[in-house]
Amino acid sequence: MHSLICIIFFTFLTISLLFNGAKMVESSNRTLLHLENVPQRRRELVGIETTFKFPSPLPNWPPGGGFAGGTIDFGGLLVSQVTTFNKIWSANEGGPGNDGATFYDAVSIPEGFSVLGCYSQSNNMPLFGHILVGKDVTNNPSNPTLKSPIDYTLVWSSVSLNIKKDGDGYIWFPNPPDGYEAVGYVVTSSSEKPALNRVRCVRSDLTDTLESDEWVWGPSKSLNASGFNVYSSRPTNRGVGAMGASIGGFVVQNGNGGNTLLLSCLKNLKGSLVNSMPNLNQIEALIQTYSPMVYFHPSEPYLPSSVDWFFQNGTLLYHKGDESNPSPIDPNGSNLPQGGSNDDTYWLDLPKDDSSKQRVKKGDLQDASAYFHVKPMYGGLFTDIAIWLFYPFNGASRAKVEFINISLGKIGEHVGDWEHVTLRISNFNGELNRVFFAQHSWGTWVSASSLEYANGNKPVVYSSLNAHSSYPKPGLVLVGGPSGANIGLRDDTAKGGQVMDTGVRAVVVSAEYLGSVVVEPPWLNYERKWGPKIDYDLDKEINKVEKIMIGKLKNAFDKFVKSIPREVLGEEGPTGPKVKNSWAGDEMA
């Protein structure tokens, strides 16, 4: 047991930002307009003034199939993505950061396509979004896929709202005819009802259930669940086999957490998603364009390696009941038990001799590979590329309790650490939409417009010290503590000298929709533990730390530790990528 170290740590950070003026953008197209990198907007101006632009132009994707073809057939309903908008109305306060939000109409709509709803986003980032438009391709006038609403119901207006705003806004629900569903709201700057041909409703069999996602706006500075709120939307059913697809619009809730006049999302009736997904050549081009740059903390002792290097350097396979005779592992894991379940009958561990053990713990960055899993999401609207890194060892945790930093001895240590980030890419044009940063048992989605980039359009990822969680920005995050309290496990990130371009030794290990084109390595289907169960007494270790604490400090620390999952603290051996819920499902934000 390492001795406990208490360090009094005081931090004072001063950040000074200088912003230049920028004109209001009333209509913008992220794909066609190449604006200079315009600074962030001034707070006194209303709405979103800047349009996001990737640092480098997107390449011409290799040919083949329907990927990046501009349209996707949902089975009688052809959908396309529009990124050109006119501002309808904006609030200049409320919502995330008290920055307000702006509501938009889609413009420059392709010939023959119809609007399905309006778009909205928070003002705390450059304009970056899309809305789907639809076209009936059934050639069946008696049962079309699209129909105009029969009327509108006013859901909400800003007339009585005493905040900084650009005039008044009105949100309308399109009342669908029988057999059809509304999939988006209409926003106006007038109290007059919109024209019935302003928007289209979708035939019910082409729709699915919808739910709220991230908070976009509300009149208050912080989320008030009992008040009026605007959220981005997502399908209720999500995952590789789910066919629901949001149009990219928003949902509103008007008190008690319930949707006001429920919208639906679209549903892909084609069944097969292969036509909109990238082929292998296109996957390789996407990897070279968007493969993240992972920066490790300057003090990071435990770096990633390839799985083959881990096996070739003495890692052993243990079998319950025969622990005295562990087996060496073949380079590609061909002698690992396949399938089954995580039943504690098999596990991996480091070499027995101490010198080899300490060397393997450190990993080998020069040999490290990134492992790519490619899958459809949201009914084939997006390609998700999960990028997995393997670390032979996860280091010990540290805690921060008010102004005291505390070493937790061996707590948090475990053999075998799988970490990942996920790229979400539009199948309409191959554009990066957002990135998921996995952090312990959860994570965070970040819009492509809010990322840091390096070497062109490669997102920057910061790996936390010892724990290897992924973050979009450097700094300190406290994990597991009460909201607003200065207590939790430390996740420290910083840009050190060691960096990994995940595209250099990229290995596509799985793309199930391509069938036999991608052959999965045997180790991927090893579904047992990649490390032994930790044999230390977790409660005993925690009690040792608590002995140096008194009063409220001790009580707060005890409560926070008990709330943290044992997986975070490292008591159980970790499992591989294919056992994670996100392998076939959506990411858990």
Side-chain angles (χ1 to χ4, degrees):
M1 170 70 190
H2 297 299
S3 61
L4 301 177
I5 303 173
C6 296
I7 305 173
I8 298 179
F9 182 81
F10 296 97
T11 304
F12 178 78
L13 179 64
T14 302
I15 302 176
S16 177
L17 301 176
L18 178 63
F19 295 111
N20 296 322
K23 294 182 178 180
M24 178 78 69
V25 175
E26 296 287 344
S27 176
S28 54
N29 187 314
R30 294 181 289 102
T31 302
L32 300 179
L33 296 182
H34 295 278
L35 303 179
E36 295 298 319
N37 288 328
V38 186
Q40 296 284 340
R41 53 176 180 68
R42 295 177 187 265
R43 279 295 304 272
E44 65 268 25
L45 295 179
V46 178
I48 301 170
E49 312 161 22
T50 62
T51 299
F52 172 70
K53 171 194 168 189
F54 283 97
S56 298
L58 298 184
N60 294 320
W61 306 113
F67 175 73
T71 61
I72 298 175
D73 187 359
F74 271 23
L77 178 63
L78 194 67
V79 293
S80 186
Q81 176 179 277
V82 173
T83 58
T84 309
F85 301 109
N86 273 339
K87 190 189 80 173
I88 304 168
W89 176 76
S90 62
N92 200 34
E93 58 182 284
N98 199 30
D99 285 335
T102 304
F103 295 79
Y104 294 93
D105 247 344
V107 296
S108 300
I109 298 165
E111 184 177 355
F113 284 79
S114 299
V115 172
L116 302 177
C118 291
Y119 174 73
S120 177
Q121 75 164 61
S122 299
N123 292 343
N124 60 357
M125 65 181 71
L127 178 60
F128 181 73
H130 71 270
I131 201 80
L132 298 188
V133 293
K135 180 179 181 180
D136 183 356
V137 292
T138 61
N139 196 28
N140 183 5
S142 64
N143 192 30
T145 56
L146 300 174
K147 275 189 178 181
S148 296
I150 58 176
D151 199 1
Y152 290 95
T153 298
L154 180 64
V155 174
W156 177 87
S157 82
S158 66
V159 173
S160 62
L161 202 60
N162 186 23
I163 64 169
K164 296 177 183 178
K165 55 186 177 178
D166 185 12
D168 280 311
Y170 301 79
I171 299 177
W172 305 85
F173 177 82
N175 298 325
D178 290 342
Y180 290 78
E181 304 289 341
V183 296
Y185 294 106
V186 174
V187 181
T188 66
S189 57
S190 166
S191 61
E192 295 182 7
K193 285 186 178 182
L196 292 179
N197 64 358
R198 172 86 174 268
V199 73
R200 296 293 186 273
C201 301
V202 179
R203 202 174 66 204
S204 296
D205 62 319
L206 281 158
T207 65
D208 207 343
T209 55
L210 188 71
E211 68 181 24
S212 59
D213 190 7
E214 297 177 352
W215 189 39
V216 172
W217 181 75
S220 303
K221 297 179 182 179
S222 57
L223 179 61
N224 177 10
S226 63
F228 175 81
N229 292 286
V230 176
Y231 299 87
S232 61
S233 62
R234 64 184 184 184
T236 304
N237 302 309
R238 301 181 304 280
V240 172
M243 295 298 167
S246 169
I247 68 166
F250 60 90
V251 296
V252 301
Q253 293 180 353
N254 207 356
N256 301 320
N259 282 349
T260 301
L261 298 174
L262 283 174
L263 296 176
S264 296
C265 69
L266 299 179
K267 184 178 183 180
N268 190 337
L269 293 182
K270 291 289 284 186
S272 173
L273 305 177
V274 175
N275 288 339
S276 65
M277 293 290 291
N279 59 34
L280 190 57
N281 288 336
Q282 292 162 343
I283 290 172
E284 292 171 351
L286 291 169
I287 290 173
Q288 293 311 310
T289 301
Y290 299 125
S291 56
M293 303 289 292
V294 181
Y295 285 90
F296 302 99
H297 193 278
S299 301
E300 179 60 66
Y302 306 117
L303 295 166
S305 75
S306 69
V307 171
D308 286 356
W309 181 91
F310 183 59
F311 293 162
Q312 291 169 353
N313 280 270
T315 300
L316 297 169
L317 171 66
Y318 285 80
H319 185 204
K320 187 176 182 179
D322 194 21
E323 291 86 348
S324 61
N325 294 301
S327 303
I329 304 171
D330 293 342
N332 64 354
S334 59
N335 63 329
L336 292 173
Q338 301 290 286
S341 62
N342 183 26
D343 54 8
D344 292 327
T345 57
Y346 292 93
W347 63 91
L348 309 185
D349 204 350
L350 299 170
K352 288 185 175 182
D353 66 282
D354 189 64
S355 61
S356 296
K357 181 180 297 185
Q358 297 305 319
R359 179 175 58 82
V360 172
K361 277 185 178 182
K362 295 178 182 179
D364 187 342
L365 186 59
Q366 300 306 311
D367 183 77
S369 294
Y371 302 101
F372 290 72
H373 174 216
V374 188
K375 60 182 181 180
M377 195 57 61
Y378 288 14
L381 290 186
F382 296 100
T383 292
D384 274 14
I385 301 181
I387 304 162
W388 291 89
L389 298 184
F390 177 74
Y391 298 78
F393 196 72
N394 188 97
S397 300
R398 296 184 304 155
K400 180 178 175 66
V401 183
E402 296 299 337
F403 54 86
I404 301 176
N405 294 318
I406 303 171
S407 170
L408 297 181
K410 293 184 177 181
I411 293 176
E413 289 187 351
H414 60 81
V415 176
D417 185 24
W418 281 103
E419 301 291 344
H420 77 288
V421 296
T422 296
L423 311 177
R424 179 155 289 173
I425 295 165
S426 170
N427 285 343
F428 289 103
N429 55 13
E431 186 176 85
L432 180 66
N433 179 264
R434 54 183 184 164
V435 175
F436 180 80
F437 294 80
Q439 298 145 8
H440 307 290
S441 300
W442 50 88
T444 304
W445 282 106
V446 177
S447 169
S449 64
S450 299
L451 296 170
E452 178 184 349
Y453 292 91
N455 295 353
N457 297 329
K458 295 175 178 286
V460 169
V461 177
Y462 292 92
S463 176
S464 68
L465 177 64
N466 285 354
H468 310 133
S469 297
S470 300
Y471 290 93
K473 296 179 180 179
L476 168 64
V477 173
L478 295 179
V479 178
S483 178
N486 195 21
I487 182 172
L489 294 179
R490 295 185 64 104
D491 262 356
D492 291 279
T493 58
K495 186 176 285 187
Q498 299 188 100
V499 59
M500 177 180 180
D501 183 342
T502 56
V504 172
R505 285 175 294 278
V507 182
V508 179
V509 293
S510 184
E512 293 96 334
Y513 69 92
L514 289 177
S516 60
V517 173
V518 176
V519 179
E520 297 181 352
W523 59 258
L524 186 61
N525 291 293
Y526 169 70
E527 299 188 3
R528 274 79 171 191
K529 289 183 172 61
W530 284 72
K533 184 175 181 179
I534 302 299
D535 58 3
Y536 60 74
D537 187 329
L538 182 60
D539 293 329
K540 184 178 179 180
E541 295 286 331
I542 292 173
N543 288 336
K544 290 179 181 178
V545 177
E546 289 181 335
K547 285 182 179 180
I548 67 169
M549 298 181 178
I550 58 174
K552 293 182 179 180
L553 207 62
K554 179 179 178 180
N555 293 335
F557 177 77
D558 183 62
K559 185 176 181 180
F560 127 76
V561 169
K562 289 180 179 178
S563 70
I564 300 175
R566 287 301 188 255
E567 180 182 345
V568 176
L569 296 177
E571 191 172 35
E572 293 289 336
T575 52
K578 218 168 188 179
V579 181
K580 312 300 185 187
N581 291 333
S582 63
W583 184 266
D586 198 4
E587 298 288 359
M588 298 293 293

